[in-house]
PDB file of all heavy atoms in Angstrom:
ATOM      1  N   ILE B 857     -19.132  26.303   6.044  1.00  0.00           N
ATOM      2  CA  ILE B 857     -19.199  26.553   7.476  1.00  0.00           C
ATOM      3  C   ILE B 857     -19.045  28.039   7.703  1.00  0.00           C
ATOM      4  O   ILE B 857     -18.147  28.666   7.139  1.00  0.00           O
ATOM      5  CB  ILE B 857     -18.112  25.784   8.231  1.00  0.00           C
ATOM      6  CG1 ILE B 857     -18.301  24.276   8.023  1.00  0.00           C
ATOM      7  CG2 ILE B 857     -18.104  26.124   9.712  1.00  0.00           C
ATOM      8  CD1 ILE B 857     -17.184  23.447   8.629  1.00  0.00           C
ATOM      9  N   ALA B 858     -19.915  28.646   8.486  1.00  0.00           N
ATOM     10  CA  ALA B 858     -19.909  30.098   8.690  1.00  0.00           C
ATOM     11  C   ALA B 858     -19.728  30.430  10.163  1.00  0.00           C
ATOM     12  O   ALA B 858     -20.381  29.865  11.020  1.00  0.00           O
ATOM     13  CB  ALA B 858     -21.216  30.720   8.175  1.00  0.00           C
ATOM     14  N   LEU B 859     -18.805  31.349  10.410  1.00  0.00           N
ATOM     15  CA  LEU B 859     -18.534  31.825  11.787  1.00  0.00           C
ATOM     16  C   LEU B 859     -18.761  33.322  11.861  1.00  0.00           C
ATOM     17  O   LEU B 859     -18.165  34.089  11.098  1.00  0.00           O
ATOM     18  CB  LEU B 859     -17.065  31.491  12.149  1.00  0.00           C
ATOM     19  CG  LEU B 859     -16.542  32.044  13.465  1.00  0.00           C
ATOM     20  CD1 LEU B 859     -17.192  31.343  14.636  1.00  0.00           C
ATOM     21  CD2 LEU B 859     -15.024  31.893  13.547  1.00  0.00           C
ATOM     22  N   PRO B 860     -19.656  33.807  12.730  1.00  0.00           N
ATOM     23  CA  PRO B 860     -19.915  35.246  12.829  1.00  0.00           C
ATOM     24  C   PRO B 860     -18.653  36.010  13.188  1.00  0.00           C
ATOM     25  O   PRO B 860     -17.886  35.594  14.075  1.00  0.00           O
ATOM     26  CB  PRO B 860     -20.959  35.357  13.927  1.00  0.00           C
ATOM     27  CG  PRO B 860     -21.574  34.003  14.022  1.00  0.00           C
ATOM     28  CD  PRO B 860     -20.493  33.026  13.693  1.00  0.00           C
ATOM     29  N   VAL B 861     -18.406  37.111  12.500  1.00  0.00           N
ATOM     30  CA  VAL B 861     -17.268  37.976  12.807  1.00  0.00           C
ATOM     31  C   VAL B 861     -17.729  39.413  12.805  1.00  0.00           C
ATOM     32  O   VAL B 861     -18.666  39.790  12.081  1.00  0.00           O
ATOM     33  CB  VAL B 861     -16.121  37.790  11.811  1.00  0.00           C
ATOM     34  CG1 VAL B 861     -15.530  36.370  11.897  1.00  0.00           C
ATOM     35  CG2 VAL B 861     -16.573  38.068  10.376  1.00  0.00           C
ATOM     36  N   GLY B 862     -17.067  40.244  13.583  1.00  0.00           N
ATOM     37  CA  GLY B 862     -17.373  41.664  13.585  1.00  0.00           C
ATOM     38  C   GLY B 862     -18.709  41.958  14.266  1.00  0.00           C
ATOM     39  O   GLY B 862     -19.352  41.076  14.849  1.00  0.00           O
ATOM     40  N   PRO B 863     -19.166  43.216  14.190  1.00  0.00           N
ATOM     41  CA  PRO B 863     -20.433  43.609  14.805  1.00  0.00           C
ATOM     42  C   PRO B 863     -21.572  42.775  14.231  1.00  0.00           C
ATOM     43  O   PRO B 863     -21.668  42.573  13.028  1.00  0.00           O
ATOM     44  CB  PRO B 863     -20.587  45.073  14.401  1.00  0.00           C
ATOM     45  CG  PRO B 863     -19.187  45.527  14.091  1.00  0.00           C
ATOM     46  CD  PRO B 863     -18.505  44.355  13.535  1.00  0.00           C
ATOM     47  N   ARG B 864     -22.455  42.273  15.098  1.00  0.00           N
ATOM     48  CA  ARG B 864     -23.526  41.417  14.608  1.00  0.00           C
ATOM     49  C   ARG B 864     -24.674  42.184  13.990  1.00  0.00           C
ATOM     50  O   ARG B 864     -25.477  41.622  13.247  1.00  0.00           O
ATOM     51  CB  ARG B 864     -24.061  40.511  15.746  1.00  0.00           C
ATOM     52  CG  ARG B 864     -23.063  39.550  16.324  1.00  0.00           C
ATOM     53  CD  ARG B 864     -22.145  38.895  15.282  1.00  0.00           C
ATOM     54  NE  ARG B 864     -22.851  38.276  14.175  1.00  0.00           N
ATOM     55  CZ  ARG B 864     -22.413  38.323  12.925  1.00  0.00           C
ATOM     56  NH1 ARG B 864     -21.336  38.988  12.603  1.00  0.00           N
ATOM     57  NH2 ARG B 864     -23.083  37.698  11.961  1.00  0.00           N
ATOM     58  N   ILE B 865     -24.775  43.464  14.306  1.00  0.00           N
ATOM     59  CA  ILE B 865     -25.793  44.311  13.669  1.00  0.00           C
ATOM     60  C   ILE B 865     -25.076  45.515  13.050  1.00  0.00           C
ATOM     61  O   ILE B 865     -24.311  46.189  13.718  1.00  0.00           O
ATOM     62  CB  ILE B 865     -26.852  44.772  14.663  1.00  0.00           C
ATOM     63  CG1 ILE B 865     -27.597  43.585  15.252  1.00  0.00           C
ATOM     64  CG2 ILE B 865     -27.837  45.733  13.991  1.00  0.00           C
ATOM     65  CD1 ILE B 865     -28.384  42.782  14.226  1.00  0.00           C
ATOM     66  N   GLN B 866     -25.358  45.750  11.766  1.00  0.00           N
ATOM     67  CA  GLN B 866     -24.776  46.905  11.075  1.00  0.00           C
ATOM     68  C   GLN B 866     -25.903  47.699  10.415  1.00  0.00           C
ATOM     69  O   GLN B 866     -27.032  47.202  10.284  1.00  0.00           O
ATOM     70  CB  GLN B 866     -23.749  46.443  10.041  1.00  0.00           C
ATOM     71  CG  GLN B 866     -22.544  45.756  10.646  1.00  0.00           C
ATOM     72  CD  GLN B 866     -21.498  45.382   9.580  1.00  0.00           C
ATOM     73  OE1 GLN B 866     -21.826  44.878   8.523  1.00  0.00           O
ATOM     74  NE2 GLN B 866     -20.236  45.678   9.859  1.00  0.00           N
ATOM     75  N   ARG B 867     -25.574  48.927  10.007  1.00  0.00           N
ATOM     76  CA  ARG B 867     -26.560  49.765   9.340  1.00  0.00           C
ATOM     77  C   ARG B 867     -25.870  50.526   8.197  1.00  0.00           C
ATOM     78  O   ARG B 867     -24.687  50.855   8.269  1.00  0.00           O
ATOM     79  CB  ARG B 867     -27.205  50.768  10.286  1.00  0.00           C
ATOM     80  CG  ARG B 867     -28.024  50.145  11.383  1.00  0.00           C
ATOM     81  CD  ARG B 867     -28.866  51.201  12.104  1.00  0.00           C
ATOM     82  NE  ARG B 867     -28.077  52.265  12.716  1.00  0.00           N
ATOM     83  CZ  ARG B 867     -28.593  53.324  13.337  1.00  0.00           C
ATOM     84  NH1 ARG B 867     -29.892  53.460  13.417  1.00  0.00           N
ATOM     85  NH2 ARG B 867     -27.806  54.228  13.875  1.00  0.00           N
ATOM     86  N   PHE B 868     -26.658  50.795   7.154  1.00  0.00           N
ATOM     87  CA  PHE B 868     -26.219  51.749   6.133  1.00  0.00           C
ATOM     88  C   PHE B 868     -26.678  53.135   6.568  1.00  0.00           C
ATOM     89  O   PHE B 868     -27.848  53.344   6.906  1.00  0.00           O
ATOM     90  CB  PHE B 868     -26.806  51.387   4.770  1.00  0.00           C
ATOM     91  CG  PHE B 868     -25.991  50.408   3.995  1.00  0.00           C
ATOM     92  CD1 PHE B 868     -26.457  49.109   3.793  1.00  0.00           C
ATOM     93  CD2 PHE B 868     -24.752  50.763   3.479  1.00  0.00           C
ATOM     94  CE1 PHE B 868     -25.703  48.198   3.084  1.00  0.00           C
ATOM     95  CE2 PHE B 868     -23.995  49.849   2.762  1.00  0.00           C
ATOM     96  CZ  PHE B 868     -24.456  48.551   2.577  1.00  0.00           C
ATOM     97  N   ALA B 869     -25.744  54.081   6.529  1.00  0.00           N
ATOM     98  CA  ALA B 869     -26.026  55.458   6.921  1.00  0.00           C
ATOM     99  C   ALA B 869     -26.061  56.368   5.717  1.00  0.00           C
ATOM    100  O   ALA B 869     -25.467  56.077   4.672  1.00  0.00           O
ATOM    101  CB  ALA B 869     -24.974  55.930   7.923  1.00  0.00           C
ATOM    102  N   THR B 870     -26.767  57.459   5.874  1.00  0.00           N
ATOM    103  CA  THR B 870     -26.828  58.497   4.835  1.00  0.00           C
ATOM    104  C   THR B 870     -26.298  59.806   5.426  1.00  0.00           C
ATOM    105  O   THR B 870     -26.609  60.118   6.580  1.00  0.00           O
ATOM    106  CB  THR B 870     -28.274  58.707   4.340  1.00  0.00           C
ATOM    107  OG1 THR B 870     -28.844  57.451   4.010  1.00  0.00           O
ATOM    108  CG2 THR B 870     -28.302  59.624   3.124  1.00  0.00           C
ATOM    109  N   ALA B 871     -25.486  60.528   4.679  1.00  0.00           N
ATOM    110  CA  ALA B 871     -24.834  61.707   5.257  1.00  0.00           C
ATOM    111  C   ALA B 871     -24.449  62.683   4.171  1.00  0.00           C
ATOM    112  O   ALA B 871     -24.365  62.353   2.974  1.00  0.00           O
ATOM    113  CB  ALA B 871     -23.610  61.284   6.068  1.00  0.00           C
ATOM    114  N   ALA B 872     -24.203  63.913   4.589  1.00  0.00           N
ATOM    115  CA  ALA B 872     -23.673  64.963   3.716  1.00  0.00           C
ATOM    116  C   ALA B 872     -22.976  65.976   4.591  1.00  0.00           C
ATOM    117  O   ALA B 872     -23.121  65.980   5.822  1.00  0.00           O
ATOM    118  CB  ALA B 872     -24.774  65.613   2.881  1.00  0.00           C
ATOM    119  N   SER B 873     -22.201  66.863   3.994  1.00  0.00           N
ATOM    120  CA  SER B 873     -21.503  67.874   4.779  1.00  0.00           C
ATOM    121  C   SER B 873     -22.498  68.941   5.234  1.00  0.00           C
ATOM    122  O   SER B 873     -23.472  69.215   4.550  1.00  0.00           O
ATOM    123  CB  SER B 873     -20.396  68.508   3.958  1.00  0.00           C
ATOM    124  OG  SER B 873     -20.942  69.315   2.936  1.00  0.00           O
ATOM    125  N   PRO B 874     -22.258  69.539   6.388  1.00  0.00           N
ATOM    126  CA  PRO B 874     -23.149  70.628   6.846  1.00  0.00           C
ATOM    127  C   PRO B 874     -23.270  71.754   5.827  1.00  0.00           C
ATOM    128  O   PRO B 874     -24.355  72.337   5.644  1.00  0.00           O
ATOM    129  CB  PRO B 874     -22.487  71.097   8.142  1.00  0.00           C
ATOM    130  CG  PRO B 874     -21.749  69.889   8.632  1.00  0.00           C
ATOM    131  CD  PRO B 874     -21.236  69.209   7.390  1.00  0.00           C
TER     132      PRO B 874
END
Side-chain angles (χ1 to χ4, degrees):
I857 298 175
L859 173 69
V861 295
R864 297 320 308 140
I865 298 297
Q866 295 183 316
R867 295 193 301 176
F868 274 110
T870 310
S873 71

